[in-house]
Coordinates of all heavy atoms in Angstrom, one line a residue:
M1 N -1.1 -11.3 -22.1 CA -1.9 -11.3 -20.9 C -1.1 -11.7 -19.7 O -0.9 -13.0 -19.6 CB -3.2 -12.1 -21.0 CG -4.1 -11.7 -22.2 SD -5.5 -10.8 -21.6 CE -6.6 -12.1 -20.9
P2 N -0.8 -10.8 -18.9 CA 0.1 -11.3 -17.7 C -0.9 -12.0 -16.8 O -1.8 -11.9 -16.5 CB 0.6 -9.9 -17.1 CG 0.0 -8.9 -17.8 CD -0.8 -9.3 -19.1
N3 N 0.0 -13.0 -16.1 CA -0.6 -13.9 -15.1 C 0.0 -13.4 -13.7 O 1.1 -13.3 -13.7 CB -0.1 -15.3 -15.6 CG -1.1 -16.3 -15.1 OD1 -1.3 -16.6 -13.9 ND2 -1.8 -17.0 -16.0
V4 N -0.8 -13.4 -12.8 CA -0.4 -13.0 -11.5 C -1.1 -14.0 -10.4 O -2.2 -14.3 -10.5 CB -1.0 -11.6 -11.2 CG1 -0.5 -11.0 -9.7 CG2 -0.6 -10.5 -12.1
T5 N -0.3 -14.3 -9.4 CA -0.7 -15.1 -8.3 C -0.7 -14.3 -7.1 O 0.4 -13.7 -6.6 CB 0.1 -16.3 -8.1 OG1 0.0 -17.2 -9.3 CG2 -0.4 -17.2 -6.9
F6 N -1.8 -14.2 -6.3 CA -2.1 -13.4 -5.1 C -2.1 -14.5 -3.9 O -2.8 -15.7 -4.3 CB -3.3 -12.7 -4.9 CG -3.4 -11.6 -6.0 CD1 -3.9 -11.8 -7.3 CD2 -3.1 -10.3 -5.5 CE1 -4.1 -10.7 -8.1 CE2 -3.1 -9.2 -6.4 CZ -3.5 -9.4 -7.7
I7 N -1.3 -14.6 -2.9 CA -1.5 -15.5 -1.9 C -2.1 -14.8 -0.5 O -1.5 -13.7 -0.2 CB 0.0 -16.0 -1.4 CG1 0.8 -16.4 -2.7 CG2 -0.2 -17.0 -0.4 CD1 0.5 -17.6 -3.4
E8 N -3.1 -15.2 -0.2 CA -4.0 -14.7 1.0 C -2.9 -15.0 2.2 O -2.2 -15.9 2.1 CB -5.2 -15.4 1.2 CG -6.3 -15.1 0.4 CD -7.6 -15.7 0.7 OE1 -8.1 -15.3 1.8 OE2 -8.0 -16.6 0.0
F9 N -3.2 -14.3 3.2 CA -2.4 -14.5 4.5 C -2.5 -15.9 4.9 O -1.6 -16.4 5.6 CB -3.0 -13.5 5.6 CG -2.0 -13.6 6.8 CD1 -0.7 -13.1 6.7 CD2 -2.5 -14.2 8.0 CE1 0.1 -13.2 7.9 CE2 -1.7 -14.4 9.1 CZ -0.4 -13.8 9.0
N10 N -3.7 -16.6 4.7 CA -3.9 -17.9 5.1 C -3.1 -18.9 4.2 O -3.3 -20.2 4.4 CB -5.2 -18.3 5.3 CG -6.1 -18.3 4.1 OD1 -5.5 -18.3 3.0 ND2 -7.4 -18.4 4.2
G11 N -2.4 -18.4 3.2 CA -1.8 -19.4 2.2 C -2.6 -19.7 1.0 O -1.9 -20.4 0.1
T12 N -3.9 -19.3 0.9 CA -4.6 -19.8 -0.3 C -4.1 -18.9 -1.5 O -4.2 -17.6 -1.5 CB -6.2 -19.4 -0.1 OG1 -6.5 -20.0 1.2 CG2 -6.9 -19.9 -1.2
P13 N -3.7 -19.5 -2.6 CA -3.4 -18.9 -3.8 C -4.5 -18.6 -4.8 O -5.4 -19.4 -4.7 CB -2.5 -19.8 -4.5 CG -2.9 -21.3 -4.1 CD -3.5 -21.0 -2.7
H14 N -4.5 -17.4 -5.4 CA -5.5 -17.0 -6.4 C -4.8 -16.6 -7.8 O -3.9 -15.6 -7.7 CB -6.3 -15.9 -6.0 CG -7.0 -16.2 -4.7 ND1 -8.4 -16.7 -4.7 CD2 -6.8 -16.0 -3.4 CE1 -8.8 -16.8 -3.4 NE2 -7.8 -16.4 -2.7
E15 N -4.8 -17.4 -8.7 CA -4.2 -17.0 -10.0 C -5.2 -16.4 -10.9 O -6.1 -16.9 -11.2 CB -3.5 -18.3 -10.6 CG -2.7 -18.0 -11.7 CD -1.9 -19.4 -12.3 OE1 -1.9 -20.3 -11.5 OE2 -1.6 -19.3 -13.4
V16 N -4.7 -15.2 -11.5 CA -5.6 -14.5 -12.4 C -4.8 -14.1 -13.7 O -3.5 -14.0 -13.4 CB -6.3 -13.2 -11.8 CG1 -7.0 -13.6 -10.5 CG2 -5.2 -12.2 -11.4
E17 N -5.5 -13.8 -14.8 CA -4.7 -13.4 -16.0 C -5.6 -12.2 -16.4 O -6.9 -12.1 -16.5 CB -5.0 -14.5 -17.1 CG -4.1 -14.3 -18.1 CD -4.2 -15.4 -19.2 OE1 -5.3 -15.5 -19.9 OE2 -3.3 -16.2 -19.3
V18 N -4.8 -11.1 -16.6 CA -5.6 -9.8 -17.0 C -4.8 -9.1 -18.2 O -3.7 -9.5 -18.5 CB -5.4 -8.8 -15.8 CG1 -6.1 -9.4 -14.5 CG2 -3.9 -8.6 -15.4
P19 N -5.6 -8.3 -18.8 CA -5.0 -7.5 -20.0 C -3.8 -6.7 -19.5 O -3.9 -6.2 -18.3 CB -6.1 -6.7 -20.6 CG -7.5 -7.2 -20.0 CD -7.0 -7.9 -18.6
E20 N -2.8 -6.5 -20.4 CA -1.7 -5.5 -20.1 C -2.3 -4.2 -19.8 O -3.4 -3.8 -20.4 CB -0.8 -5.5 -21.3 CG 0.3 -6.5 -21.3 CD 1.4 -5.9 -22.2 OE1 1.3 -5.8 -23.4 OE2 2.5 -5.6 -21.8
G21 N -1.7 -3.4 -18.9 CA -2.1 -2.1 -18.5 C -3.1 -2.1 -17.3 O -3.4 -0.9 -16.8
T22 N -3.6 -3.2 -16.9 CA -4.4 -3.3 -15.6 C -3.6 -3.1 -14.5 O -2.3 -3.6 -14.4 CB -5.0 -4.9 -15.7 OG1 -5.7 -5.0 -16.8 CG2 -6.0 -4.9 -14.3
T23 N -4.0 -2.4 -13.5 CA -3.2 -2.4 -12.2 C -3.4 -3.6 -11.4 O -4.3 -4.4 -11.6 CB -3.6 -1.1 -11.4 OG1 -4.9 -1.4 -10.8 CG2 -3.6 0.2 -12.0
L24 N -2.4 -3.9 -10.7 CA -2.4 -5.0 -9.8 C -3.6 -5.1 -8.9 O -4.2 -6.1 -8.4 CB -1.1 -5.0 -9.0 CG -0.8 -6.2 -8.1 CD1 -0.8 -7.6 -8.9 CD2 0.6 -6.2 -7.3
M25 N -4.0 -3.8 -8.5 CA -5.2 -3.8 -7.5 C -6.3 -4.2 -8.3 O -7.2 -5.0 -7.8 CB -5.4 -2.3 -7.0 CG -6.5 -2.0 -6.2 SD -8.1 -1.7 -7.1 CE -7.8 0.0 -7.3
R26 N -6.6 -3.7 -9.5 CA -7.7 -4.1 -10.4 C -7.7 -5.5 -10.6 O -8.9 -6.2 -10.9 CB -7.8 -3.3 -11.6 CG -8.3 -1.8 -11.4 CD -9.7 -1.7 -11.2 NE -10.1 -0.4 -10.9 CZ -11.1 -0.1 -9.9 NH1 -11.8 -1.0 -9.3 NH2 -11.3 1.2 -9.8
A27 N -6.6 -6.2 -10.8 CA -6.5 -7.5 -11.2 C -7.1 -8.4 -10.0 O -7.7 -9.4 -10.2 CB -4.9 -7.9 -11.3
A28 N -7.0 -7.8 -8.8 CA -7.4 -8.5 -7.7 C -9.0 -8.2 -7.6 O -9.9 -9.3 -7.4 CB -6.8 -8.2 -6.4
T29 N -9.4 -7.0 -7.5 CA -10.8 -6.7 -7.3 C -11.6 -7.2 -8.5 O -12.8 -7.7 -8.3 CB -11.0 -5.2 -7.0 OG1 -10.6 -4.4 -8.3 CG2 -10.3 -4.8 -5.9
D30 N -11.1 -7.1 -9.7 CA -12.0 -7.6 -10.8 C -12.3 -9.2 -10.7 O -13.1 -9.7 -11.4 CB -11.4 -7.4 -12.2 CG -11.4 -5.9 -12.5 OD1 -12.1 -5.0 -11.8 OD2 -10.8 -5.4 -13.5
H31 N -11.3 -9.8 -10.1 CA -11.5 -11.3 -9.9 C -11.9 -11.7 -8.3 O -11.8 -12.9 -8.0 CB -10.2 -12.0 -10.2 CG -9.8 -11.9 -11.7 ND1 -9.3 -10.8 -12.2 CD2 -10.3 -12.7 -12.8 CE1 -9.2 -11.0 -13.6 NE2 -9.8 -12.0 -13.9
N32 N -12.4 -10.7 -7.7 CA -12.9 -10.9 -6.3 C -11.8 -11.8 -5.4 O -12.1 -12.7 -4.8 CB -14.2 -11.8 -6.3 CG -15.3 -11.1 -7.1 OD1 -15.4 -10.0 -6.8 ND2 -15.9 -11.8 -7.9
V33 N -10.6 -11.4 -5.5 CA -9.5 -11.9 -4.7 C -9.7 -11.3 -3.3 O -9.7 -10.1 -3.2 CB -8.1 -11.6 -5.3 CG1 -7.0 -12.1 -4.4 CG2 -7.9 -12.2 -6.6
P34 N -9.8 -12.2 -2.3 CA -10.0 -11.6 -0.9 C -8.7 -11.0 -0.4 O -7.6 -11.5 -0.8 CB -10.3 -12.8 -0.1 CG -10.5 -14.0 -1.0 CD -10.0 -13.6 -2.3
G35 N -8.8 -10.0 0.2 CA -7.6 -9.3 0.9 C -7.1 -8.0 0.2 O -6.3 -7.4 0.7
I36 N -7.7 -7.8 -1.0 CA -7.4 -6.5 -1.7 C -8.8 -5.8 -1.8 O -9.6 -6.1 -2.6 CB -6.8 -6.6 -3.0 CG1 -5.6 -7.6 -3.0 CG2 -6.6 -5.3 -3.8 CD1 -4.4 -6.9 -2.6
D37 N -9.1 -4.7 -1.1 CA -10.3 -3.9 -1.2 C -10.2 -2.8 -2.1 O -11.3 -2.7 -2.8 CB -10.7 -3.4 0.2 CG -11.1 -4.6 1.2 OD1 -11.4 -5.7 0.6 OD2 -11.2 -4.3 2.5
G38 N -9.2 -2.1 -2.1 CA -9.1 -1.0 -3.1 C -10.1 0.0 -2.8 O -10.7 0.5 -3.9
D39 N -10.3 0.4 -1.7 CA -11.4 1.2 -1.3 C -11.3 2.7 -1.9 O -12.4 3.3 -2.2 CB -11.5 1.6 0.3 CG -12.0 0.3 1.1 OD1 -12.6 -0.6 0.5 OD2 -11.7 0.3 2.2
C40 N -10.1 3.3 -2.2 CA -10.1 4.6 -2.7 C -10.1 4.5 -4.3 O -10.0 5.6 -5.0 CB -8.9 5.4 -2.3 SG -7.4 4.8 -3.0
G41 N -10.2 3.3 -4.8 CA -10.5 3.3 -6.2 C -9.1 3.4 -7.1 O -9.1 3.7 -8.2
G42 N -8.0 3.3 -6.3 CA -6.6 3.4 -6.9 C -5.9 4.7 -6.9 O -5.1 5.1 -7.6
Q43 N -6.6 5.6 -5.9 CA -6.0 7.0 -5.8 C -4.8 7.0 -4.7 O -4.4 8.3 -4.5 CB -7.2 7.9 -5.3 CG -8.2 8.0 -6.3 CD -8.0 8.4 -7.8 OE1 -7.2 9.4 -7.8 NE2 -8.1 7.6 -8.7
C44 N -4.3 5.9 -4.4 CA -3.2 5.9 -3.4 C -3.6 6.7 -2.2 O -2.8 7.5 -1.6 CB -1.9 6.6 -4.1 SG -0.3 6.3 -3.3
A45 N -4.8 6.5 -1.6 CA -5.4 7.2 -0.5 C -5.9 6.2 0.5 O -6.6 6.9 1.4 CB -6.4 8.3 -1.1
C46 N -5.7 5.0 0.4 CA -6.3 4.0 1.5 C -5.5 3.0 2.1 O -5.7 2.6 3.2 CB -7.6 3.5 0.9 SG -7.4 2.2 -0.3
A47 N -4.6 2.5 1.2 CA -3.6 1.4 1.7 C -4.4 0.2 1.9 O -3.8 -0.8 2.5 CB -2.8 1.8 2.9
T48 N -5.6 0.0 1.4 CA -6.3 -1.3 1.6 C -5.9 -2.3 0.3 O -6.4 -3.3 0.2 CB -7.8 -1.2 1.4 OG1 -8.2 -0.7 0.2 CG2 -8.3 -0.3 2.7
C49 N -4.8 -1.9 -0.4 CA -4.4 -2.7 -1.6 C -2.9 -3.1 -1.2 O -2.2 -3.3 -2.2 CB -4.4 -2.1 -2.8 SG -3.5 -0.5 -3.0
H50 N -2.5 -3.0 0.0 CA -1.1 -3.3 0.4 C -0.7 -4.9 0.2 O -1.6 -5.9 0.4 CB -1.1 -3.2 1.9 CG 0.3 -3.4 2.5 ND1 0.5 -3.5 4.0 CD2 1.4 -3.5 2.0 CE1 1.8 -3.6 4.2 NE2 2.4 -3.7 3.1
V51 N 0.4 -5.0 -0.5 CA 0.9 -6.2 -0.8 C 2.3 -6.3 -0.6 O 3.0 -5.4 -0.6 CB 0.7 -6.7 -2.4 CG1 -0.9 -6.8 -2.5 CG2 1.3 -5.7 -3.2
F52 N 2.8 -7.6 -0.4 CA 4.2 -7.9 -0.4 C 4.6 -8.4 -1.7 O 4.2 -9.5 -2.1 CB 4.6 -8.9 0.9 CG 4.1 -8.4 2.1 CD1 3.3 -9.2 2.9 CD2 4.3 -7.2 2.6 CE1 2.8 -8.8 4.2 CE2 4.1 -6.7 3.8 CZ 3.2 -7.5 4.7
I53 N 5.6 -7.9 -2.3 CA 6.2 -8.5 -3.6 C 7.1 -9.5 -3.3 O 8.1 -9.3 -2.5 CB 7.0 -7.4 -4.4 CG1 6.0 -5.9 -4.5 CG2 7.4 -8.0 -5.7 CD1 4.8 -6.2 -5.3
D54 N 7.0 -10.6 -3.9 CA 7.9 -11.9 -3.8 C 9.3 -11.3 -4.0 O 9.5 -10.6 -5.1 CB 7.5 -13.0 -4.7 CG 8.4 -14.1 -4.5 OD1 8.1 -14.9 -3.7 OD2 9.4 -14.2 -5.3
P55 N 10.3 -11.7 -3.1 CA 11.7 -11.1 -3.3 C 12.2 -11.3 -4.7 O 12.9 -10.5 -5.3 CB 12.4 -12.0 -2.4 CG 11.4 -12.2 -1.3 CD 10.1 -12.6 -1.9
A56 N 11.9 -12.3 -5.4 CA 12.3 -12.7 -6.8 C 11.9 -11.6 -7.8 O 12.4 -11.5 -8.9 CB 11.9 -14.1 -7.1
W57 N 10.8 -10.9 -7.5 CA 10.3 -9.9 -8.5 C 10.5 -8.5 -8.0 O 10.1 -7.6 -8.9 CB 8.6 -10.2 -8.4 CG 8.4 -11.4 -9.2 CD1 8.2 -12.8 -8.6 CD2 8.1 -11.5 -10.5 NE1 7.9 -13.7 -9.6 CE2 7.9 -12.9 -10.7 CE3 8.2 -10.7 -11.6 CZ2 7.7 -13.5 -12.2 CZ3 8.0 -11.2 -12.9 CH2 7.7 -12.5 -13.1
I58 N 11.1 -8.2 -7.0 CA 11.3 -6.8 -6.7 C 12.0 -5.9 -7.6 O 11.5 -4.9 -7.9 CB 12.0 -6.8 -5.1 CG1 11.1 -7.3 -4.1 CG2 12.4 -5.3 -4.9 CD1 11.6 -7.3 -2.7
D59 N 13.1 -6.5 -8.2 CA 13.8 -5.6 -9.1 C 13.0 -5.3 -10.4 O 12.9 -4.3 -10.9 CB 15.1 -6.4 -9.5 CG 16.0 -6.3 -8.5 OD1 16.0 -5.5 -7.6 OD2 17.1 -7.0 -8.7
R60 N 12.1 -6.3 -10.8 CA 11.4 -6.0 -12.0 C 10.2 -5.1 -11.7 O 9.7 -4.4 -12.5 CB 10.8 -7.2 -12.6 CG 11.8 -8.0 -13.6 CD 11.4 -9.2 -14.0 NE 11.8 -10.3 -12.9 CZ 11.7 -11.6 -13.2 NH1 11.2 -12.0 -14.3 NH2 12.0 -12.4 -12.3
V61 N 9.5 -5.3 -10.6 CA 8.4 -4.4 -10.1 C 8.8 -3.0 -9.8 O 8.1 -2.1 -10.2 CB 7.8 -4.9 -9.0 CG1 6.6 -4.1 -8.5 CG2 7.0 -6.3 -9.3
G62 N 9.9 -2.8 -9.3 CA 10.5 -1.4 -9.0 C 10.0 -1.0 -7.6 O 9.3 -1.6 -6.9
G63 N 10.4 0.1 -7.3 CA 10.3 0.8 -5.9 C 9.0 1.6 -5.8 O 8.4 1.8 -6.7
R64 N 8.7 2.2 -4.5 CA 7.6 2.9 -4.4 C 7.7 4.3 -4.8 O 8.8 4.9 -4.8 CB 7.3 3.0 -2.8 CG 7.1 1.8 -2.1 CD 7.3 2.0 -0.6 NE 7.6 0.7 0.0 CZ 8.2 0.6 1.3 NH1 8.4 1.6 2.0 NH2 8.3 -0.7 1.7
N65 N 6.7 5.0 -5.2 CA 6.7 6.5 -5.4 C 6.5 7.2 -4.1 O 6.2 6.4 -3.1 CB 5.6 6.8 -6.5 CG 4.3 6.6 -6.1 OD1 3.9 7.0 -5.0 ND2 3.6 5.8 -7.0
S66 N 6.7 8.4 -4.1 CA 6.7 9.1 -2.8 C 5.4 9.2 -2.2 O 5.2 9.0 -1.0 CB 7.2 10.6 -3.1 OG 6.5 11.2 -3.9
N67 N 4.3 9.4 -2.9 CA 2.9 9.3 -2.4 C 2.6 8.0 -1.7 O 2.1 7.9 -0.7 CB 1.9 9.6 -3.4 CG 1.7 10.9 -3.7 OD1 2.3 11.9 -3.2 ND2 1.1 11.3 -4.9
E68 N 3.0 6.9 -2.4 CA 2.7 5.5 -2.0 C 3.6 5.4 -0.7 O 3.0 4.7 0.2 CB 3.3 4.7 -3.1 CG 3.1 3.1 -2.9 CD 3.8 2.4 -4.0 OE1 4.2 2.9 -5.0 OE2 3.7 1.1 -3.9
D69 N 4.7 5.8 -0.7 CA 5.6 5.5 0.5 C 4.9 6.2 1.8 O 5.0 5.6 2.8 CB 6.9 6.3 0.2 CG 8.0 5.7 1.2 OD1 8.1 4.6 1.4 OD2 8.9 6.5 1.7
E70 N 4.4 7.6 1.6 CA 3.8 8.1 2.6 C 2.4 7.4 3.1 O 2.3 7.2 4.4 CB 3.3 9.5 2.2 CG 4.3 10.6 2.5 CD 3.7 12.0 2.0 OE1 2.5 12.3 2.1 OE2 4.6 12.6 1.4
M71 N 1.7 6.9 2.1 CA 0.5 6.2 2.6 C 0.8 4.8 3.2 O 0.1 4.5 4.2 CB -0.2 5.8 1.2 CG -1.6 5.3 1.4 SD -2.7 6.1 2.5 CE -2.6 7.8 2.0
L72 N 1.9 4.2 2.9 CA 2.2 2.9 3.5 C 2.7 3.1 4.9 O 2.6 2.1 5.6 CB 3.4 2.2 2.6 CG 2.9 1.4 1.4 CD1 4.1 1.0 0.4 CD2 2.2 0.1 1.8
N73 N 3.1 4.3 5.3 CA 3.4 4.5 6.7 C 2.3 4.3 7.6 O 2.4 4.1 8.8 CB 4.0 6.0 6.9 CG 5.4 6.1 6.4 OD1 6.1 5.2 6.3 ND2 5.7 7.3 5.8
F74 N 1.0 4.4 6.9 CA -0.2 4.2 7.8 C -0.6 2.6 7.8 O -1.5 2.2 8.5 CB -1.3 4.9 7.2 CG -1.2 6.4 7.4 CD1 -0.7 7.1 6.3 CD2 -1.4 7.0 8.6 CE1 -0.5 8.5 6.5 CE2 -1.1 8.4 8.7 CZ -0.7 9.2 7.7
A75 N 0.1 1.9 7.0 CA -0.3 0.5 6.8 C 0.4 -0.4 7.9 O 1.5 0.0 8.3 CB 0.1 -0.2 5.4
S76 N -0.3 -1.5 8.4 CA 0.2 -2.3 9.3 C 1.0 -3.4 8.6 O 0.8 -3.8 7.5 CB -0.8 -2.8 10.2 OG -1.7 -3.7 9.4
G77 N 2.1 -3.8 9.4 CA 2.9 -4.9 8.7 C 3.8 -4.4 7.6 O 4.2 -5.3 6.9
L78 N 4.2 -3.2 7.7 CA 5.0 -2.7 6.6 C 6.4 -3.5 6.5 O 6.9 -3.7 7.6 CB 5.3 -1.2 6.9 CG 6.1 -0.5 5.8 CD1 5.3 -0.3 4.6 CD2 6.4 1.0 6.4
R79 N 6.8 -3.7 5.3 CA 8.1 -4.4 5.1 C 8.8 -3.8 3.9 O 8.2 -2.9 3.2 CB 7.8 -5.8 4.6 CG 7.2 -6.8 5.7 CD 7.1 -8.2 5.2 NE 6.1 -9.0 5.9 CZ 5.8 -10.1 5.6 NH1 6.0 -10.6 4.4 NH2 4.9 -10.9 6.4
D80 N 10.1 -4.1 3.8 CA 10.8 -3.6 2.7 C 10.3 -3.9 1.4 O 10.4 -3.1 0.4 CB 12.4 -4.1 2.6 CG 13.1 -3.5 3.8 OD1 12.7 -2.6 4.5 OD2 14.1 -4.1 4.1
N81 N 9.5 -5.0 1.2 CA 8.9 -5.4 -0.1 C 7.4 -5.0 -0.1 O 6.7 -5.5 -1.1 CB 9.1 -6.9 -0.5 CG 8.5 -7.7 0.7 OD1 8.1 -7.3 1.9 ND2 8.2 -8.9 0.4
S82 N 7.0 -4.1 0.6 CA 5.6 -3.6 0.7 C 5.3 -2.6 -0.5 O 6.3 -1.8 -0.8 CB 5.3 -2.8 2.0 OG 5.1 -3.6 3.0
R83 N 4.2 -2.9 -1.2 CA 3.9 -1.9 -2.3 C 2.4 -1.7 -2.2 O 1.6 -2.6 -1.5 CB 4.2 -2.5 -3.7 CG 5.7 -2.4 -4.1 CD 6.3 -1.0 -4.2 NE 5.6 -0.1 -5.0 CZ 5.7 0.0 -6.4 NH1 6.7 -0.7 -7.1 NH2 5.0 0.9 -7.2
L84 N 1.8 -0.6 -2.9 CA 0.5 -0.5 -3.0 C 0.1 -1.0 -4.4 O 0.6 -0.6 -5.5 CB 0.0 0.9 -2.8 CG 0.0 1.5 -1.5 CD1 -0.3 3.0 -1.3 CD2 -0.8 0.6 -0.5
A85 N -0.9 -2.1 -4.4 CA -1.1 -2.7 -5.7 C -1.7 -1.8 -6.8 O -1.5 -1.9 -8.0 CB -2.1 -3.9 -5.5
C86 N -2.4 -0.7 -6.3 CA -2.9 0.3 -7.2 C -1.9 1.0 -8.0 O -2.1 1.6 -8.9 CB -3.8 1.2 -6.8 SG -3.2 2.3 -5.4
Q87 N -0.6 1.0 -7.5 CA 0.5 1.9 -8.1 C 1.3 1.0 -9.0 O 2.3 1.5 -9.4 CB 1.3 2.5 -7.0 CG 0.5 3.3 -6.1 CD -0.2 4.5 -7.0 OE1 0.4 5.3 -7.5 NE2 -1.5 4.6 -6.9
I88 N 0.9 -0.3 -9.3 CA 1.7 -1.1 -10.1 C 0.9 -1.6 -11.4 O -0.2 -2.1 -11.2 CB 2.0 -2.4 -9.4 CG1 3.0 -2.1 -8.1 CG2 2.8 -3.4 -10.2 CD1 3.1 -3.2 -7.1
T89 N 1.4 -1.1 -12.5 CA 0.7 -1.4 -13.8 C 1.4 -2.8 -14.3 O 2.5 -2.9 -14.5 CB 0.7 -0.2 -14.8 OG1 0.3 0.9 -14.2 CG2 0.1 -0.7 -16.0
L90 N 0.4 -3.7 -14.6 CA 0.9 -5.1 -15.1 C 1.3 -5.0 -16.7 O 0.3 -4.5 -17.5 CB -0.2 -6.0 -14.9 CG -0.3 -6.3 -13.3 CD1 -1.6 -7.1 -13.1 CD2 0.9 -6.9 -12.8
T91 N 2.3 -5.5 -17.0 CA 2.9 -5.7 -18.5 C 3.2 -7.1 -18.5 O 3.3 -7.9 -17.5 CB 4.0 -4.7 -18.7 OG1 5.1 -5.1 -17.9 CG2 3.7 -3.3 -18.4
N92 N 3.5 -7.5 -19.8 CA 3.9 -8.8 -20.0 C 5.2 -9.1 -19.3 O 5.6 -10.2 -19.0 CB 4.0 -9.1 -21.4 CG 2.6 -9.2 -22.1 OD1 1.8 -9.8 -21.4 ND2 2.5 -8.9 -23.4
A93 N 6.0 -8.1 -19.0 CA 7.2 -8.2 -18.3 C 7.1 -8.7 -16.9 O 7.9 -9.3 -16.4 CB 8.1 -7.0 -18.2
L94 N 5.9 -8.6 -16.4 CA 5.6 -9.0 -15.0 C 4.7 -10.2 -15.0 O 4.1 -10.7 -14.1 CB 4.7 -8.0 -14.3 CG 5.6 -6.6 -14.0 CD1 4.7 -5.5 -13.3 CD2 6.8 -6.9 -13.3
D95 N 4.6 -10.9 -16.2 CA 4.0 -12.2 -16.4 C 4.6 -13.2 -15.3 O 5.8 -13.5 -15.4 CB 4.0 -12.7 -17.7 CG 3.3 -14.0 -17.9 OD1 2.1 -14.2 -17.3 OD2 3.8 -15.0 -18.6
G96 N 3.7 -13.7 -14.5 CA 4.2 -14.8 -13.4 C 4.4 -14.1 -12.2 O 4.8 -14.9 -11.1
L97 N 4.0 -12.9 -11.9 CA 4.3 -12.2 -10.6 C 3.6 -12.8 -9.5 O 2.5 -13.3 -9.6 CB 3.7 -10.7 -10.8 CG 3.8 -9.9 -9.6 CD1 5.3 -9.6 -9.2 CD2 3.2 -8.4 -9.8
L98 N 4.3 -12.8 -8.4 CA 3.7 -13.4 -7.2 C 3.8 -12.4 -6.1 O 4.7 -11.8 -5.8 CB 4.8 -14.5 -6.8 CG 4.4 -15.5 -5.7 CD1 3.1 -16.3 -5.9 CD2 5.7 -16.5 -5.4
V99 N 2.6 -12.1 -5.5 CA 2.5 -11.2 -4.3 C 1.7 -11.9 -3.2 O 1.0 -12.8 -3.4 CB 1.8 -9.9 -4.7 CG1 2.7 -9.3 -5.9 CG2 0.5 -10.1 -5.1
A100 N 2.0 -11.4 -2.0 CA 1.2 -11.9 -0.9 C 0.5 -10.9 -0.1 O 1.1 -9.6 -0.2 CB 2.2 -12.6 0.2
M101 N -0.4 -11.2 0.7 CA -1.2 -10.0 1.4 C -0.9 -10.1 2.8 O -0.7 -11.2 3.3 CB -2.8 -10.2 1.3 CG -3.4 -9.7 0.0 SD -3.0 -10.5 -1.4 CE -4.5 -11.5 -1.6
P102 N -0.8 -8.9 3.6 CA -0.7 -8.8 4.9 C -1.7 -9.4 5.8 O -2.9 -9.6 5.4 CB -0.3 -7.4 5.1 CG -0.9 -6.7 4.1 CD -1.0 -7.6 3.0
E103 N -1.4 -9.7 7.0 CA -2.3 -10.3 7.9 C -3.6 -9.5 8.1 O -4.6 -10.2 8.3 CB -1.5 -10.5 9.4 CG -2.4 -11.2 10.4 CD -1.8 -11.5 11.6 OE1 -0.7 -11.0 11.9 OE2 -2.3 -12.1 12.5
G104 N -3.5 -8.2 8.2 CA -4.7 -7.5 8.4 C -5.7 -7.4 7.4 O -6.8 -6.9 7.5
Q105 N -5.3 -7.9 6.1 CA -6.3 -7.9 4.9 C -6.7 -9.3 4.7 O -6.0 -10.2 4.1 CB -5.4 -7.3 3.9 CG -5.2 -5.8 4.0 CD -4.3 -5.2 2.9 OE1 -3.5 -4.5 3.2 NE2 -4.4 -5.8 1.6
H106 N -8.0 -9.6 5.0 CA -8.5 -10.9 4.6 C -10.0 -10.7 4.8 O -10.6 -9.7 5.1 CB -8.1 -12.0 5.5 CG -8.2 -11.7 6.9 ND1 -9.3 -11.9 7.6 CD2 -7.3 -11.3 7.9 CE1 -9.1 -11.6 8.8 NE2 -7.8 -11.2 9.0
Ligands
LIG201 FE1 -6.5 2.8 -2.3 FE2 -4.6 1.5 -3.6 S1 -6.6 1.3 -3.7 S2 -4.3 3.0 -2.0

């Protein structure tokens, strides 16, 4: 069961544990983590699941897919480490993952 910590823009951490195969977006919404709405249900069509991947985890999480990259162009506060949480599937290899939410999402 991978463990993930979400950091709200105000610095409040939320640590959750989810079954392998859960998306990072669902990990947040299933645990009522503020700042991740997931309005489109994970279809890569809303960008309300925008997160910043902690630099130490970028290589393990991997890069954006092309749909995700397009959608993130509409997101505010885009950074090199921006990802859409619905496009990341959690495995035990990502146990301990740390992500932060942008200012517009709270
Ligand atoms: Fe809509 Fe991720 S939940 S883009």
Side-chain angles (χ1 to χ4, degrees):
M1 296 260 284
N3 211 293
V4 181
T5 300
F6 295 89
I7 312 283
E8 283 187 73
F9 184 73
N10 67 11
T12 307
H14 300 268
E15 190 176 336
V16 303
E17 193 177 69
V18 295
E20 269 200 295
T22 305
T23 67
L24 183 60
M25 182 273 279
R26 286 283 174 219
T29 57
D30 287 353
H31 292 87
N32 298 316
V33 174
I36 304 277
D37 290 342
D39 285 345
C40 74
Q43 299 303 307
C44 197
C46 71
T48 63
C49 65
H50 181 192
V51 292
F52 302 127
I53 306 296
D54 184 84
W57 286 91
I58 288 175
D59 286 349
R60 269 172 282 183
V61 171
R64 304 168 197 159
N65 61 52
S66 58
N67 287 346
E68 181 184 0
D69 200 41
E70 268 180 44
M71 188 51 53
L72 275 167
N73 286 328
F74 297 102
S76 62
L78 186 65
R79 296 184 193 167
D80 287 347
N81 60 341
S82 290
R83 290 289 314 264
L84 291 177
C86 66
Q87 301 301 301
I88 298 168
T89 301
L90 295 168
T91 63
N92 285 332
L94 296 179
D95 182 39
L97 178 63
L98 186 62
V99 302
M101 274 77 97
E103 183 173 11
Q105 290 168 217
H106 49 80

